[in-house]
Amino acid sequence: MINYPGGIKVNAPAPKEKKEKKHIESAANRGMGFETDINDTNAYYLEKGLALIYKRPTPINIVKVDYTKGAKITHAYFEHQSTTDYNGVYKGHYVDFEAKSTQSKTSFPLSNIAPQQIEHLRNVKKHGGIAFFLINCYALGEVYMLDAEFVCDFYEEKPRKSIPFSLIKEKGHLVKEAYRPRFDYLPLIDEVFLK
């Protein structure tokens, strides 16, 4: 009962039950979160003068822009297929890598890798660059660095449609996770590629 001025009494409606909304994170959003963490890690490396590694922009060609409410791209297309997510320089060495995420509890699907990424990373290795994959295994709560040569060989030989986590743990290197940098992969570059 609500007492209003002037003696008017009104029955207040019963509070409605709030339905609990379940937040379902899409694969794209999971990837974006991982990408954000890597971007933050790379910003830390740059700030500390350790490495210069950037997210490679997706090449698009803008066809039409709507200027009625600011500038909004309404029509665009990819100029060509993108290669890998990140590239840069560390200790005088060219570094190129792809970041991938999976929700699977048992393996990393090869379908997450595009053929042009394999070709690109093979060329990086061929010319003496450092090439690898960072694979975020959400179900395990772990991120692994895998040499691109191993992943490319597995992809081309296709002994199966996915790389089992047991093999990722055996062939890969666990990336140290912390507050800052979030995923500290530079020590693994030293250990795996520059020893």
Side-chain angles (χ1 to χ4, degrees), residues 27 30-31 34 99-112 134-142 162-163 165 168:
R30 284 193 308 271
F34 183 43
K100 297 289 186 186
S101 297
T102 181
Q103 190 69 10
S104 170
K105 295 180 179 180
T106 57
S107 61
F108 173 73
L110 294 177
S111 60
N112 287 2
L134 286 183
I135 299 180
N136 188 355
C137 307
Y138 274 96
L140 301 177
E142 297 172 340
S162 60
I163 304 173
F165 284 152
I168 288 173

PDB file of all heavy atoms in Angstrom, residues 27 30-31 34 99-112 134-142 162-163 165 168:
ATOM      1  N   ALA A  27      31.743 -17.355 -30.772  1.00  0.00           N
ATOM      2  CA  ALA A  27      33.138 -17.641 -31.114  1.00  0.00           C
ATOM      3  C   ALA A  27      33.862 -16.366 -31.507  1.00  0.00           C
ATOM      4  O   ALA A  27      35.017 -16.165 -31.153  1.00  0.00           O
ATOM      5  CB  ALA A  27      33.191 -18.666 -32.246  1.00  0.00           C
ATOM      6  N   ARG A  30      34.705 -14.461 -28.338  1.00  0.00           N
ATOM      7  CA  ARG A  30      35.813 -15.092 -27.621  1.00  0.00           C
ATOM      8  C   ARG A  30      37.124 -14.709 -28.289  1.00  0.00           C
ATOM      9  O   ARG A  30      38.080 -14.361 -27.630  1.00  0.00           O
ATOM     10  CB  ARG A  30      35.662 -16.620 -27.623  1.00  0.00           C
ATOM     11  CG  ARG A  30      34.633 -17.142 -26.667  1.00  0.00           C
ATOM     12  CD  ARG A  30      34.759 -18.639 -26.497  1.00  0.00           C
ATOM     13  NE  ARG A  30      34.777 -19.369 -27.750  1.00  0.00           N
ATOM     14  CZ  ARG A  30      33.720 -19.828 -28.381  1.00  0.00           C
ATOM     15  NH1 ARG A  30      32.532 -19.630 -27.887  1.00  0.00           N
ATOM     16  NH2 ARG A  30      33.838 -20.492 -29.506  1.00  0.00           N
ATOM     17  N   GLY A  31      37.139 -14.764 -29.611  1.00  0.00           N
ATOM     18  CA  GLY A  31      38.345 -14.405 -30.351  1.00  0.00           C
ATOM     19  C   GLY A  31      38.724 -12.958 -30.141  1.00  0.00           C
ATOM     20  O   GLY A  31      39.896 -12.623 -30.020  1.00  0.00           O
ATOM     21  N   PHE A  34      40.416 -12.507 -26.747  1.00  0.00           N
ATOM     22  CA  PHE A  34      41.792 -12.997 -26.830  1.00  0.00           C
ATOM     23  C   PHE A  34      42.650 -11.994 -27.592  1.00  0.00           C
ATOM     24  O   PHE A  34      43.763 -11.662 -27.175  1.00  0.00           O
ATOM     25  CB  PHE A  34      41.795 -14.368 -27.504  1.00  0.00           C
ATOM     26  CG  PHE A  34      43.140 -15.041 -27.590  1.00  0.00           C
ATOM     27  CD1 PHE A  34      44.012 -15.026 -26.516  1.00  0.00           C
ATOM     28  CD2 PHE A  34      43.529 -15.712 -28.735  1.00  0.00           C
ATOM     29  CE1 PHE A  34      45.250 -15.662 -26.581  1.00  0.00           C
ATOM     30  CE2 PHE A  34      44.747 -16.350 -28.823  1.00  0.00           C
ATOM     31  CZ  PHE A  34      45.619 -16.323 -27.740  1.00  0.00           C
ATOM     32  N   ALA A  99      46.761 -15.803 -34.121  1.00  0.00           N
ATOM     33  CA  ALA A  99      46.128 -16.107 -32.831  1.00  0.00           C
ATOM     34  C   ALA A  99      44.789 -16.782 -33.085  1.00  0.00           C
ATOM     35  O   ALA A  99      43.972 -16.271 -33.845  1.00  0.00           O
ATOM     36  CB  ALA A  99      45.945 -14.827 -32.034  1.00  0.00           C
ATOM     37  N   LYS A 100      44.582 -17.920 -32.460  1.00  0.00           N
ATOM     38  CA  LYS A 100      43.348 -18.692 -32.643  1.00  0.00           C
ATOM     39  C   LYS A 100      42.771 -19.081 -31.287  1.00  0.00           C
ATOM     40  O   LYS A 100      43.508 -19.252 -30.316  1.00  0.00           O
ATOM     41  CB  LYS A 100      43.609 -19.970 -33.443  1.00  0.00           C
ATOM     42  CG  LYS A 100      44.095 -19.742 -34.861  1.00  0.00           C
ATOM     43  CD  LYS A 100      43.008 -19.194 -35.730  1.00  0.00           C
ATOM     44  CE  LYS A 100      43.440 -19.109 -37.177  1.00  0.00           C
ATOM     45  NZ  LYS A 100      42.441 -18.452 -38.006  1.00  0.00           N
ATOM     46  N   SER A 101      41.453 -19.240 -31.257  1.00  0.00           N
ATOM     47  CA  SER A 101      40.769 -19.669 -30.042  1.00  0.00           C
ATOM     48  C   SER A 101      39.856 -20.845 -30.366  1.00  0.00           C
ATOM     49  O   SER A 101      39.339 -20.940 -31.471  1.00  0.00           O
ATOM     50  CB  SER A 101      39.904 -18.531 -29.494  1.00  0.00           C
ATOM     51  OG  SER A 101      40.698 -17.440 -29.138  1.00  0.00           O
ATOM     52  N   THR A 102      39.681 -21.713 -29.375  1.00  0.00           N
ATOM     53  CA  THR A 102      38.740 -22.817 -29.540  1.00  0.00           C
ATOM     54  C   THR A 102      38.042 -23.094 -28.218  1.00  0.00           C
ATOM     55  O   THR A 102      38.639 -22.964 -27.155  1.00  0.00           O
ATOM     56  CB  THR A 102      39.433 -24.090 -30.054  1.00  0.00           C
ATOM     57  OG1 THR A 102      38.451 -25.109 -30.218  1.00  0.00           O
ATOM     58  CG2 THR A 102      40.516 -24.588 -29.117  1.00  0.00           C
ATOM     59  N   GLN A 103      36.786 -23.468 -28.319  1.00  0.00           N
ATOM     60  CA  GLN A 103      35.988 -23.833 -27.152  1.00  0.00           C
ATOM     61  C   GLN A 103      35.986 -25.349 -26.953  1.00  0.00           C
ATOM     62  O   GLN A 103      35.518 -25.834 -25.933  1.00  0.00           O
ATOM     63  CB  GLN A 103      34.546 -23.323 -27.345  1.00  0.00           C
ATOM     64  CG  GLN A 103      33.673 -23.405 -26.134  1.00  0.00           C
ATOM     65  CD  GLN A 103      34.068 -22.436 -25.017  1.00  0.00           C
ATOM     66  OE1 GLN A 103      34.887 -21.554 -25.189  1.00  0.00           O
ATOM     67  NE2 GLN A 103      33.484 -22.621 -23.855  1.00  0.00           N
ATOM     68  N   SER A 104      36.534 -26.072 -27.918  1.00  0.00           N
ATOM     69  CA  SER A 104      36.560 -27.535 -27.835  1.00  0.00           C
ATOM     70  C   SER A 104      37.288 -27.982 -26.566  1.00  0.00           C
ATOM     71  O   SER A 104      38.243 -27.341 -26.128  1.00  0.00           O
ATOM     72  CB  SER A 104      37.269 -28.110 -29.068  1.00  0.00           C
ATOM     73  OG  SER A 104      37.500 -29.489 -28.889  1.00  0.00           O
ATOM     74  N   LYS A 105      36.848 -29.096 -26.021  1.00  0.00           N
ATOM     75  CA  LYS A 105      37.467 -29.631 -24.807  1.00  0.00           C
ATOM     76  C   LYS A 105      38.527 -30.681 -25.115  1.00  0.00           C
ATOM     77  O   LYS A 105      39.188 -31.181 -24.215  1.00  0.00           O
ATOM     78  CB  LYS A 105      36.394 -30.225 -23.896  1.00  0.00           C
ATOM     79  CG  LYS A 105      35.430 -29.175 -23.391  1.00  0.00           C
ATOM     80  CD  LYS A 105      34.385 -29.775 -22.485  1.00  0.00           C
ATOM     81  CE  LYS A 105      33.458 -28.670 -21.991  1.00  0.00           C
ATOM     82  NZ  LYS A 105      32.420 -29.151 -21.116  1.00  0.00           N
ATOM     83  N   THR A 106      38.661 -31.028 -26.400  1.00  0.00           N
ATOM     84  CA  THR A 106      39.575 -32.122 -26.731  1.00  0.00           C
ATOM     85  C   THR A 106      40.638 -31.786 -27.768  1.00  0.00           C
ATOM     86  O   THR A 106      41.694 -32.401 -27.785  1.00  0.00           O
ATOM     87  CB  THR A 106      38.778 -33.331 -27.265  1.00  0.00           C
ATOM     88  OG1 THR A 106      38.013 -32.911 -28.403  1.00  0.00           O
ATOM     89  CG2 THR A 106      37.846 -33.893 -26.195  1.00  0.00           C
ATOM     90  N   SER A 107      40.346 -30.809 -28.669  1.00  0.00           N
ATOM     91  CA  SER A 107      41.287 -30.576 -29.767  1.00  0.00           C
ATOM     92  C   SER A 107      41.078 -29.204 -30.402  1.00  0.00           C
ATOM     93  O   SER A 107      40.084 -28.528 -30.130  1.00  0.00           O
ATOM     94  CB  SER A 107      41.118 -31.658 -30.839  1.00  0.00           C
ATOM     95  OG  SER A 107      39.806 -31.604 -31.360  1.00  0.00           O
ATOM     96  N   PHE A 108      42.038 -28.832 -31.257  1.00  0.00           N
ATOM     97  CA  PHE A 108      41.951 -27.580 -32.007  1.00  0.00           C
ATOM     98  C   PHE A 108      41.614 -27.921 -33.463  1.00  0.00           C
ATOM     99  O   PHE A 108      42.404 -28.575 -34.150  1.00  0.00           O
ATOM    100  CB  PHE A 108      43.275 -26.820 -31.942  1.00  0.00           C
ATOM    101  CG  PHE A 108      43.297 -25.618 -32.839  1.00  0.00           C
ATOM    102  CD1 PHE A 108      42.572 -24.482 -32.532  1.00  0.00           C
ATOM    103  CD2 PHE A 108      44.034 -25.639 -34.015  1.00  0.00           C
ATOM    104  CE1 PHE A 108      42.574 -23.387 -33.365  1.00  0.00           C
ATOM    105  CE2 PHE A 108      44.045 -24.542 -34.856  1.00  0.00           C
ATOM    106  CZ  PHE A 108      43.312 -23.413 -34.535  1.00  0.00           C
ATOM    107  N   PRO A 109      40.443 -27.503 -33.978  1.00  0.00           N
ATOM    108  CA  PRO A 109      40.033 -27.845 -35.346  1.00  0.00           C
ATOM    109  C   PRO A 109      40.889 -27.154 -36.408  1.00  0.00           C
ATOM    110  O   PRO A 109      41.101 -25.942 -36.350  1.00  0.00           O
ATOM    111  CB  PRO A 109      38.590 -27.346 -35.436  1.00  0.00           C
ATOM    112  CG  PRO A 109      38.181 -26.973 -34.050  1.00  0.00           C
ATOM    113  CD  PRO A 109      39.420 -26.732 -33.269  1.00  0.00           C
ATOM    114  N   LEU A 110      41.353 -27.916 -37.372  1.00  0.00           N
ATOM    115  CA  LEU A 110      42.141 -27.354 -38.472  1.00  0.00           C
ATOM    116  C   LEU A 110      41.293 -26.439 -39.352  1.00  0.00           C
ATOM    117  O   LEU A 110      41.838 -25.592 -40.061  1.00  0.00           O
ATOM    118  CB  LEU A 110      42.751 -28.473 -39.324  1.00  0.00           C
ATOM    119  CG  LEU A 110      43.807 -29.334 -38.630  1.00  0.00           C
ATOM    120  CD1 LEU A 110      44.280 -30.437 -39.563  1.00  0.00           C
ATOM    121  CD2 LEU A 110      44.979 -28.500 -38.156  1.00  0.00           C
ATOM    122  N   SER A 111      39.985 -26.591 -39.295  1.00  0.00           N
ATOM    123  CA  SER A 111      39.095 -25.742 -40.094  1.00  0.00           C
ATOM    124  C   SER A 111      39.184 -24.275 -39.654  1.00  0.00           C
ATOM    125  O   SER A 111      38.738 -23.383 -40.372  1.00  0.00           O
ATOM    126  CB  SER A 111      37.654 -26.234 -39.998  1.00  0.00           C
ATOM    127  OG  SER A 111      37.219 -26.200 -38.645  1.00  0.00           O
ATOM    128  N   ASN A 112      39.776 -24.014 -38.488  1.00  0.00           N
ATOM    129  CA  ASN A 112      39.973 -22.637 -38.009  1.00  0.00           C
ATOM    130  C   ASN A 112      41.118 -21.931 -38.729  1.00  0.00           C
ATOM    131  O   ASN A 112      41.322 -20.734 -38.528  1.00  0.00           O
ATOM    132  CB  ASN A 112      40.263 -22.621 -36.503  1.00  0.00           C
ATOM    133  CG  ASN A 112      39.046 -22.931 -35.669  1.00  0.00           C
ATOM    134  OD1 ASN A 112      37.972 -23.192 -36.188  1.00  0.00           O
ATOM    135  ND2 ASN A 112      39.206 -22.912 -34.366  1.00  0.00           N
ATOM    136  N   LEU A 134      49.507 -18.769 -31.656  1.00  0.00           N
ATOM    137  CA  LEU A 134      49.091 -18.736 -30.254  1.00  0.00           C
ATOM    138  C   LEU A 134      47.689 -19.319 -30.241  1.00  0.00           C
ATOM    139  O   LEU A 134      46.791 -18.797 -30.909  1.00  0.00           O
ATOM    140  CB  LEU A 134      49.068 -17.311 -29.707  1.00  0.00           C
ATOM    141  CG  LEU A 134      50.400 -16.652 -29.411  1.00  0.00           C
ATOM    142  CD1 LEU A 134      50.191 -15.261 -28.806  1.00  0.00           C
ATOM    143  CD2 LEU A 134      51.263 -17.498 -28.483  1.00  0.00           C
ATOM    144  N   ILE A 135      47.519 -20.415 -29.521  1.00  0.00           N
ATOM    145  CA  ILE A 135      46.224 -21.095 -29.492  1.00  0.00           C
ATOM    146  C   ILE A 135      45.646 -21.026 -28.086  1.00  0.00           C
ATOM    147  O   ILE A 135      46.246 -21.517 -27.135  1.00  0.00           O
ATOM    148  CB  ILE A 135      46.343 -22.557 -29.969  1.00  0.00           C
ATOM    149  CG1 ILE A 135      46.849 -22.568 -31.416  1.00  0.00           C
ATOM    150  CG2 ILE A 135      45.001 -23.277 -29.843  1.00  0.00           C
ATOM    151  CD1 ILE A 135      47.021 -23.922 -32.021  1.00  0.00           C
ATOM    152  N   ASN A 136      44.487 -20.378 -27.998  1.00  0.00           N
ATOM    153  CA  ASN A 136      43.792 -20.225 -26.730  1.00  0.00           C
ATOM    154  C   ASN A 136      42.815 -21.380 -26.563  1.00  0.00           C
ATOM    155  O   ASN A 136      41.832 -21.476 -27.290  1.00  0.00           O
ATOM    156  CB  ASN A 136      43.058 -18.878 -26.714  1.00  0.00           C
ATOM    157  CG  ASN A 136      42.468 -18.552 -25.367  1.00  0.00           C
ATOM    158  OD1 ASN A 136      42.516 -19.357 -24.448  1.00  0.00           O
ATOM    159  ND2 ASN A 136      41.898 -17.375 -25.245  1.00  0.00           N
ATOM    160  N   CYS A 137      43.095 -22.253 -25.628  1.00  0.00           N
ATOM    161  CA  CYS A 137      42.252 -23.411 -25.336  1.00  0.00           C
ATOM    162  C   CYS A 137      41.350 -23.037 -24.159  1.00  0.00           C
ATOM    163  O   CYS A 137      41.729 -23.210 -23.002  1.00  0.00           O
ATOM    164  CB  CYS A 137      43.107 -24.621 -24.993  1.00  0.00           C
ATOM    165  SG  CYS A 137      44.381 -24.991 -26.228  1.00  0.00           S
ATOM    166  N   TYR A 138      40.163 -22.498 -24.457  1.00  0.00           N
ATOM    167  CA  TYR A 138      39.266 -22.005 -23.416  1.00  0.00           C
ATOM    168  C   TYR A 138      38.893 -23.079 -22.411  1.00  0.00           C
ATOM    169  O   TYR A 138      38.823 -22.824 -21.219  1.00  0.00           O
ATOM    170  CB  TYR A 138      37.984 -21.425 -24.031  1.00  0.00           C
ATOM    171  CG  TYR A 138      38.135 -19.990 -24.434  1.00  0.00           C
ATOM    172  CD1 TYR A 138      38.443 -19.654 -25.743  1.00  0.00           C
ATOM    173  CD2 TYR A 138      37.974 -18.964 -23.519  1.00  0.00           C
ATOM    174  CE1 TYR A 138      38.592 -18.338 -26.124  1.00  0.00           C
ATOM    175  CE2 TYR A 138      38.127 -17.638 -23.882  1.00  0.00           C
ATOM    176  CZ  TYR A 138      38.427 -17.332 -25.184  1.00  0.00           C
ATOM    177  OH  TYR A 138      38.587 -16.030 -25.553  1.00  0.00           O
ATOM    178  N   ALA A 139      38.633 -24.268 -22.893  1.00  0.00           N
ATOM    179  CA  ALA A 139      38.196 -25.342 -21.996  1.00  0.00           C
ATOM    180  C   ALA A 139      39.275 -25.682 -20.975  1.00  0.00           C
ATOM    181  O   ALA A 139      38.971 -26.065 -19.851  1.00  0.00           O
ATOM    182  CB  ALA A 139      37.816 -26.583 -22.804  1.00  0.00           C
ATOM    183  N   LEU A 140      40.541 -25.521 -21.360  1.00  0.00           N
ATOM    184  CA  LEU A 140      41.653 -25.802 -20.452  1.00  0.00           C
ATOM    185  C   LEU A 140      42.057 -24.562 -19.661  1.00  0.00           C
ATOM    186  O   LEU A 140      42.765 -24.666 -18.663  1.00  0.00           O
ATOM    187  CB  LEU A 140      42.869 -26.284 -21.248  1.00  0.00           C
ATOM    188  CG  LEU A 140      42.719 -27.532 -22.103  1.00  0.00           C
ATOM    189  CD1 LEU A 140      43.997 -27.803 -22.877  1.00  0.00           C
ATOM    190  CD2 LEU A 140      42.364 -28.729 -21.232  1.00  0.00           C
ATOM    191  N   GLY A 141      41.650 -23.398 -20.150  1.00  0.00           N
ATOM    192  CA  GLY A 141      42.080 -22.151 -19.512  1.00  0.00           C
ATOM    193  C   GLY A 141      43.562 -21.908 -19.737  1.00  0.00           C
ATOM    194  O   GLY A 141      44.245 -21.342 -18.880  1.00  0.00           O
ATOM    195  N   GLU A 142      44.065 -22.344 -20.898  1.00  0.00           N
ATOM    196  CA  GLU A 142      45.498 -22.230 -21.190  1.00  0.00           C
ATOM    197  C   GLU A 142      45.716 -21.733 -22.618  1.00  0.00           C
ATOM    198  O   GLU A 142      44.902 -21.981 -23.507  1.00  0.00           O
ATOM    199  CB  GLU A 142      46.180 -23.596 -21.017  1.00  0.00           C
ATOM    200  CG  GLU A 142      46.114 -24.114 -19.604  1.00  0.00           C
ATOM    201  CD  GLU A 142      46.621 -25.543 -19.456  1.00  0.00           C
ATOM    202  OE1 GLU A 142      46.685 -26.289 -20.463  1.00  0.00           O
ATOM    203  OE2 GLU A 142      46.941 -25.920 -18.320  1.00  0.00           O
ATOM    204  N   SER A 162      41.716 -32.381 -36.608  1.00  0.00           N
ATOM    205  CA  SER A 162      42.025 -31.458 -35.515  1.00  0.00           C
ATOM    206  C   SER A 162      43.296 -31.912 -34.813  1.00  0.00           C
ATOM    207  O   SER A 162      43.684 -33.085 -34.897  1.00  0.00           O
ATOM    208  CB  SER A 162      40.864 -31.409 -34.526  1.00  0.00           C
ATOM    209  OG  SER A 162      40.635 -32.690 -33.983  1.00  0.00           O
ATOM    210  N   ILE A 163      43.931 -30.963 -34.124  1.00  0.00           N
ATOM    211  CA  ILE A 163      45.134 -31.288 -33.356  1.00  0.00           C
ATOM    212  C   ILE A 163      44.695 -31.560 -31.923  1.00  0.00           C
ATOM    213  O   ILE A 163      44.146 -30.675 -31.266  1.00  0.00           O
ATOM    214  CB  ILE A 163      46.148 -30.129 -33.378  1.00  0.00           C
ATOM    215  CG1 ILE A 163      46.508 -29.734 -34.807  1.00  0.00           C
ATOM    216  CG2 ILE A 163      47.409 -30.511 -32.599  1.00  0.00           C
ATOM    217  CD1 ILE A 163      47.374 -28.488 -34.923  1.00  0.00           C
ATOM    218  N   PHE A 165      44.581 -31.889 -27.945  1.00  0.00           N
ATOM    219  CA  PHE A 165      45.227 -31.083 -26.914  1.00  0.00           C
ATOM    220  C   PHE A 165      46.452 -31.786 -26.343  1.00  0.00           C
ATOM    221  O   PHE A 165      47.421 -31.137 -25.963  1.00  0.00           O
ATOM    222  CB  PHE A 165      44.252 -30.735 -25.791  1.00  0.00           C
ATOM    223  CG  PHE A 165      43.282 -29.643 -26.163  1.00  0.00           C
ATOM    224  CD1 PHE A 165      42.039 -29.585 -25.579  1.00  0.00           C
ATOM    225  CD2 PHE A 165      43.612 -28.663 -27.091  1.00  0.00           C
ATOM    226  CE1 PHE A 165      41.139 -28.586 -25.909  1.00  0.00           C
ATOM    227  CE2 PHE A 165      42.723 -27.660 -27.431  1.00  0.00           C
ATOM    228  CZ  PHE A 165      41.484 -27.620 -26.839  1.00  0.00           C
ATOM    229  N   ILE A 168      49.132 -30.781 -28.572  1.00  0.00           N
ATOM    230  CA  ILE A 168      49.422 -29.350 -28.387  1.00  0.00           C
ATOM    231  C   ILE A 168      50.277 -29.159 -27.144  1.00  0.00           C
ATOM    232  O   ILE A 168      51.264 -28.409 -27.158  1.00  0.00           O
ATOM    233  CB  ILE A 168      48.111 -28.532 -28.297  1.00  0.00           C
ATOM    234  CG1 ILE A 168      47.449 -28.472 -29.683  1.00  0.00           C
ATOM    235  CG2 ILE A 168      48.367 -27.130 -27.757  1.00  0.00           C
ATOM    236  CD1 ILE A 168      46.072 -27.840 -29.701  1.00  0.00           C
TER     237      ILE A 168
END
